[in-house]
Amino acid sequence: MELTDLKGIGQTTAEKLLALGLSEVIDLLFHLPLRYEDKTRLTPIDELVGFRYAQVEGEIVKSYVTQGRRPILVCEIDDGSACMQLKFFNFYYSQKIKMRAGLRIRAYGEVRDGMYGMEIIHPEFSLGAKQPALAKSLTPIYPKSEGISQKLLQKAAAQAIQMLQDGAFELDELLPADWLAAQAMPTLVEALQFVHSPPPDADVLQLINHTHPAQQRLKLEEILAHFLAMHQARTAIQQLNAPRLIMAPGQAQGVMSLLPFELTGAQQRVVQEIHQDMALNHPMQRLVQGDVGSGKTVVAALAMQAALVHGKQAVMMAPTEILAEQHLLTLSEYFPDREVVFLAGKVKGQARAEVLAAIAGTAEVIIGTHALFQADVQYRDLALVIIDEQHRFGVHQRLLLKQKGQASEDNTEQLMPHNLIMTATPIPRTLAQIAYANLDVSVIDELPPNRKTINTLLLDNQKMPQLAERIKQACAGGEQAYWVCTLIEESEHLRAKAAQDTFAELQEWFPDLQVGLIHGRLKGDEKQAVMDRFKANQIQLLVATTVIEVGVDVPNASLMVIDNAERLGLSQLHQLRGRVGRGNRQSHCVLMYQAPLSENAQVRLSTMRETNDGFQIAQQDLKLRGPGEILGTRQKGSMEFRFSNPEQDAALFQQAKGMAADLLACNPQACEQLIQRWQKQAQLLAKV
């Protein structure tokens, strides 16, 4: 049934509703309220409590406009129990005229304890002797987009619920009745009716906290659909064919013999898991998580070796040219006898043509950025795709690269390459099991034995003179330092300007040091030239934006200053800190902040000072920011739950995971219906 079948929704409005994922009437039923307003009753003024929402009704005693720097319309009302004020900072002259003494007024809003008693700022209100009847149920407040009013959504949802009650369409109950009975949960129809139109006696606290049985019922079905979609994705991959890349004993020794260190136990375990996957005839789908400095690149090289010994190609894609070039340097050292090529946006003209010819011909290890999956890039025999910091790539980009596989030797089928995903952004184990339920997850949970803990200090930015002295001492002793500039605005132009201003200021502070500058608006070859000089110790102090967040490896850099660190999230702070501590010296990270700090900023900075463990930091980050932010806006995909929260609903997620396996066994048709009901992107997810 089309949305235009509802009263008040024309074609233009229907097109706007598409931005909310609403294309049919049934979609409105699953567009669930964020919160509720209680307009079912009036609260006497003498019973009002501060910082709670309430609805009051009384007679206007007087109204006037204050004569201060900013005029305020004040309306004083009396309901017989007490008086209070309604205040309007933005008002029309006609509004002042209408609010005359003696008229009745009903108002709803957040109550505050003001200077002259209770007050409500900018309430919703209605004037007149004849007020509308009180609401029969709590008023739902829905997620909305530009051009769509709350009233329109409320009326549309109410019509959809009425049509459901009248039998205009049916919703199949897809969960077994014995499950619902055992959990004391309502049916789907009962749950939807309740959340869209809760009765006046509903437990408001439960509804606010999203713990009411009706809400839990809908959460359970949504989470179940998520796990079923992930299972569908995994099954779809396992039905595809990939080249079997069996590693014989000793074939990894070529890379191993070049390492100046021994692999940690965690690295050995993860490499073994990868080689076992690549020996199978369906595509590997493995995520490798490793904290900053845990040695993921070595693991990637040993995965590549499995492809190379079979005469096939391996590709590594990174989100930035700096990170890709870092991989180029490292992997060229690991594979001195192999043909290693690089492709990025800055490779143009004849140079690009030569690289494309090599990829289609003799190249064995291919490293680059998103340029690797463009249409004109043809691979000779691609068997392994490694995507680093994959949360920075969109779903479609990753899919395009994976589709670059080759036909089998007898040309009877398309072979998919094995797929290895790496991230240095630790994800809490519980969240990884939810977000990547279609992947096998390996964790490098051990740092190399020579890695020293980075000493993290918090410093008010008023104490710059003491810090300057510390930087001078470090650089005089042969060390190097980063100075990271942060900026709230997302404009790359503004970021660059802030860095340039800081660069000029620090040149005055440190006239005897070579100070360098790198930011996102520099061209690729300019960035590379700066980094080359820094690595060669021709620059002692490097001023940078967060462009250096991942991939930069300068072992001699042992001091990092992050300016206005309170502006950054925990994950980004941890990634930046990981740029130091890569050599034998004791390293330090100074988090400079602008006082006073918000409570949230205090928690973030204290967490950084107390621990270097990326997984502990990720767990705290999850509490502060939620799952979608941690996974990245382009990556979260199916993690955009409408109703559920992996942190708050951990028990439900655990329960749904077991239920998914049972439902797949006893009713696969219901599984498909659940996925379609809750996940419109299910078909795309199945390919990723």
Side-chain angles (χ1 to χ4, degrees):
M1 194 173 293
E2 299 298 321
L3 288 172
T4 48
D5 294 332
L6 299 177
K7 291 179 183 176
I9 297 184
Q11 191 58 45
T12 302
T13 303
E15 288 171 7
K16 289 180 179 177
L17 287 169
L18 281 173
L20 291 168
L22 306 175
S23 57
E24 302 175 77
V25 171
I26 198 169
D27 294 334
L28 284 164
L29 298 176
F30 294 93
H31 189 66
L32 303 172
L34 290 169
R35 57 185 178 85
Y36 298 90
E37 294 177 346
D38 187 358
K39 297 179 181 176
T40 65
R41 59 195 176 94
L42 298 171
T43 302
I45 292 174
D46 66 352
E47 294 179 15
L48 292 175
V49 178
F51 301 105
R52 290 189 187 173
Y53 283 82
Q55 185 168 241
V56 297
E57 187 176 317
E59 184 177 304
I60 298 176
V61 177
K62 60 178 176 178
S63 66
Y64 53 92
V65 176
T66 61
Q67 299 303 316
R69 187 177 62 180
R70 184 181 183 184
I72 302 171
L73 173 60
V74 180
C75 179
E76 295 185 6
I77 68 171
D78 185 344
D79 71 347
S81 72
C83 291
M84 72 175 299
Q85 293 185 337
L86 309 177
K87 291 183 176 179
F88 302 86
F89 292 94
N90 300 309
F91 61 91
Y92 297 102
Y93 180 76
S94 59
Q95 186 178 331
K96 174 185 177 296
I97 299 299
K98 288 176 183 176
M99 286 185 169
R100 60 183 184 273
L103 273 183
R104 288 199 71 74
I105 186 170
R106 181 183 293 175
Y108 177 88
E110 185 181 12
V111 178
R112 298 184 183 184
D113 197 352
M115 188 179 299
Y116 303 105
M118 292 299 179
E119 63 183 25
I120 301 178
I121 310 293
H122 280 291
E124 295 177 32
F125 69 93
S126 61
L127 281 167
K130 191 174 181 181
Q131 291 290 336
L134 293 173
K136 293 180 180 178
S137 64
L138 298 178
T139 304
I141 303 299
Y142 295 96
K144 65 187 188 74
S145 61
E146 191 176 349
I148 300 296
S149 71
Q150 197 59 239
K151 276 198 166 75
L152 185 145
L153 283 169
Q154 288 165 351
K155 288 179 180 177
Q159 289 181 71
I161 284 289
Q162 190 60 54
M163 294 168 85
L164 179 64
Q165 291 172 336
D166 295 344
F169 52 82
E170 290 186 8
L171 280 178
D172 294 333
E173 181 56 73
L174 300 174
L175 300 190
D178 57 336
W179 283 3
L180 297 177
Q183 300 291 326
M185 286 183 174
T187 65
L188 176 66
V189 172
E190 290 168 343
L192 287 171
Q193 289 174 339
F194 190 95
V195 297
H196 284 289
S197 186
D201 61 349
D203 189 324
V204 178
L205 197 59
Q206 279 190 330
L207 286 169
I208 290 171
N209 294 328
H210 283 220
T211 57
H212 192 280
Q215 294 168 313
Q216 296 290 94
R217 163 68 177 80
L218 295 171
K219 284 182 182 182
L220 183 64
E221 187 166 305
E222 178 183 33
I223 297 165
L224 190 56
H226 168 80
F227 281 118
L228 291 170
M230 292 294 98
H231 179 273
Q232 186 183 71
R234 188 179 180 85
T235 302
I237 287 291
Q238 288 176 337
Q239 289 173 350
L240 299 172
N241 290 306
R244 294 187 67 190
L245 306 175
I246 300 170
M247 283 283 279
Q251 285 187 316
Q253 287 308 309
V255 174
M256 300 283 282
S257 63
L258 295 171
L259 300 180
F261 52 82
E262 290 188 9
L263 296 185
T264 63
Q267 287 173 312
Q268 292 176 32
R269 183 189 70 246
V270 172
V271 168
Q272 185 178 9
E273 290 168 350
I274 291 169
H275 286 167
Q276 286 173 348
D277 286 353
M278 295 176 74
L280 302 176
N281 63 354
H282 58 78
M284 169 175 66
Q285 289 286 101
R286 186 167 290 277
L287 169 72
V288 173
Q289 285 193 77
D291 205 348
V292 176
S294 61
K296 292 178 299 301
T297 309
V298 176
V299 169
L302 288 165
M304 287 179 160
Q305 181 74 348
L308 301 182
V309 297
H310 288 271
K312 298 184 181 296
Q313 294 174 302
V315 64
M316 178 181 273
M317 180 168 74
T320 66
E321 287 185 1
I322 285 182
L323 180 52
E325 285 167 342
Q326 182 68 53
H327 287 318
L328 176 65
L329 288 172
T330 307
L331 292 171
S332 294
E333 292 175 3
Y334 290 155
F335 298 112
D337 300 325
R338 302 284 186 176
E339 186 175 352
V340 182
V341 298
F342 178 81
L343 184 63
K346 70 177 184 180
V347 181
K348 300 183 184 300
Q350 182 59 33
R352 178 181 171 83
E354 290 173 2
V355 172
L356 291 180
I359 292 173
T362 55
E364 296 167 286
V365 176
I366 301 105
I367 300 159
T369 60
H370 58 276
L372 292 168
F373 57 73
Q374 291 174 355
D376 61 343
V377 183
Q378 300 296 320
Y379 293 86
R380 167 178 52 81
D381 194 355
L382 182 59
L384 173 64
V385 171
I386 301 176
I387 301 176
D388 197 11
E389 294 300 332
Q390 57 90 41
H391 62 285
R392 295 177 173 227
F393 293 103
V395 166
H396 295 280
Q397 291 174 316
R398 300 199 307 275
L399 191 55
L400 283 168
L401 185 55
K402 286 164 63 176
Q403 289 172 341
K404 297 282 189 180
Q406 299 295 312
S408 60
E409 291 182 9
D410 57 6
N411 285 319
T412 58
E413 60 186 343
Q414 177 83 5
L415 293 179
M416 289 286 286
H418 294 283
N419 189 33
L420 182 64
I421 292 167
M422 302 199 307
T423 180
T425 305
I427 303 166
R429 200 174 295 268
T430 51
L431 182 56
Q433 289 171 348
I434 295 163
Y436 302 109
N438 60 322
L439 303 177
D440 295 303
V441 179
S442 294
V443 180
I444 306 176
D445 51 8
E446 182 182 356
L447 291 177
N450 61 338
R451 290 284 296 212
K452 293 182 179 178
T453 301
I454 300 167
N455 182 30
T456 303
L457 309 167
L458 306 186
L459 192 69
D460 188 306
N461 62 8
Q462 298 298 318
K463 297 182 179 178
M464 176 63 186
Q466 295 96 308
L467 178 60
E469 193 57 39
R470 174 68 185 86
I471 292 172
K472 287 176 185 175
Q473 289 173 2
C475 293
E479 299 177 48
Q480 291 170 271
Y482 295 99
W483 186 290
V484 181
C485 300
T486 62
L487 194 68
I488 295 172
E489 291 86 352
E490 288 302 310
S491 160
E492 195 59 54
H493 172 73
L494 290 173
R495 287 178 192 272
K497 185 177 186 305
Q500 286 166 341
D501 292 345
T502 304
F503 172 65
E505 186 180 340
L506 291 178
Q507 283 182 311
E508 293 180 11
W509 273 94
F510 306 108
D512 298 328
L513 297 182
Q514 284 295 319
V515 183
L517 172 65
I518 189 168
H519 55 73
R521 286 176 69 85
L522 290 178
K523 293 178 181 177
D525 53 352
E526 292 174 324
K527 285 184 200 170
Q528 190 58 47
V530 173
M531 288 311 303
D532 287 345
R533 289 183 63 213
F534 189 52
K535 287 175 185 176
N537 205 356
Q538 295 168 2
I539 292 173
Q540 284 82 50
L541 177 60
L542 180 63
V543 179
T545 59
T546 52
V547 70
I548 63 151
E549 182 184 341
V550 291
V552 177
D553 188 359
V554 182
N556 193 52
S558 58
L559 175 62
M560 170 168 285
V561 179
I562 303 178
D563 201 356
N564 294 306
E566 76 278 4
R567 295 175 176 175
L568 299 182
L570 268 172
S571 175
Q572 201 169 19
L573 286 170
H574 183 59
Q575 288 290 321
L576 286 166
R577 178 171 63 181
R579 297 308 105 210
V580 294
R582 292 172 169 261
N584 297 322
R585 299 176 187 265
Q586 175 62 56
S587 293
H588 305 271
C589 178
V590 180
L591 304 178
M592 293 189 73
Y593 62 87
Q594 173 73 51
L597 290 173
S598 68
E599 186 177 342
N600 194 303
Q602 287 179 39
V603 172
R604 291 199 307 274
L605 297 187
S606 296
T607 301
M608 288 294 295
R609 182 176 58 189
E610 290 162 8
T611 182
N612 276 261
D613 186 322
F615 290 95
Q616 284 186 33
I617 288 170
Q619 194 65 48
Q620 184 65 49
D621 209 17
L622 177 61
K623 291 178 183 176
L624 292 174
R625 294 196 300 155
E629 289 297 319
I630 288 179
L631 294 171
T633 53
R634 288 191 288 179
Q635 166 60 20
K636 51 187 176 180
S638 66
M639 286 297 293
E640 292 191 63
F641 294 108
R642 305 184 205 180
F643 217 39
S644 314
N645 183 304
E647 177 74 5
Q648 295 172 358
D649 302 315
L652 273 179
F653 275 92
Q654 199 59 39
Q655 181 185 354
K657 197 169 185 180
M659 289 172 62
D662 293 343
L663 199 60
L664 282 161
C666 68
N667 194 345
Q669 186 176 356
C671 296
E672 183 61 36
Q673 289 175 277
L674 273 169
I675 293 170
Q676 293 305 321
R677 175 179 288 170
W678 287 95
Q679 304 221 3
K680 291 193 171 185
Q681 287 187 309
Q683 295 309 311
L684 177 60
L685 284 167
K687 299 174 186 174
V688 178

